Amino acid sequence: MSVKKFFQNAFSDMKESAKAQHEVDKANLAAAKAESKAQWEEAKAMGKPETRKAAMQAERDEQIAQAKQRQADAQARIDAAKGNK
């Protein structure tokens, strides 16, 4: 392979790599913009009392469900330890 051909191939590969990286960078920038906008909209929605109350109630409901599941698991362990299956 000649030196000229070697450099042509090398520069061609670099050009393709740069194009591919540019596409990756564009996709990452678009994702960052979308995430930022979503975060802004969520923050803006939390400024409304009804939205904040609904979010807090949903979180409390989830915590209650988890606590009930833990309680049921603990009772199952107690019954298994006593041999009351």
Side-chain angles (χ1 to χ4, degrees):
M1 177 190 313
S2 70
V3 173
K4 182 178 179 182
K5 186 69 172 167
F6 172 79
F7 281 111
Q8 284 178 342
N9 289 341
F11 285 119
S12 176
D13 289 345
M14 286 190 292
K15 182 178 177 182
E16 292 300 318
S17 179
K19 283 182 183 180
Q21 187 60 47
H22 180 69
E23 291 299 317
V24 169
D25 291 342
K26 282 182 8 183
N28 284 334
L29 180 62
K33 281 182 175 181
E35 289 169 345
S36 178
K37 183 169 180 153
Q39 188 176 15
W40 167 254
E41 292 297 330
E42 289 170 346
K44 194 166 75 170
M46 283 297 161
K48 298 176 184 173
E50 61 275 2
T51 305
R52 188 174 57 253
K53 285 180 185 178
M56 291 174 71
Q57 185 61 43
E59 185 177 336
R60 285 190 296 266
D61 291 343
E62 176 65 27
Q63 289 174 350
I64 289 169
Q66 288 176 355
K68 286 182 180 180
Q69 181 61 44
R70 287 181 19 228
Q71 187 177 10
D73 292 345
Q75 187 61 46
R77 287 174 45 207
I78 291 169
D79 290 346
K82 287 183 178 180
N84 295 341
K85 283 191 169 183

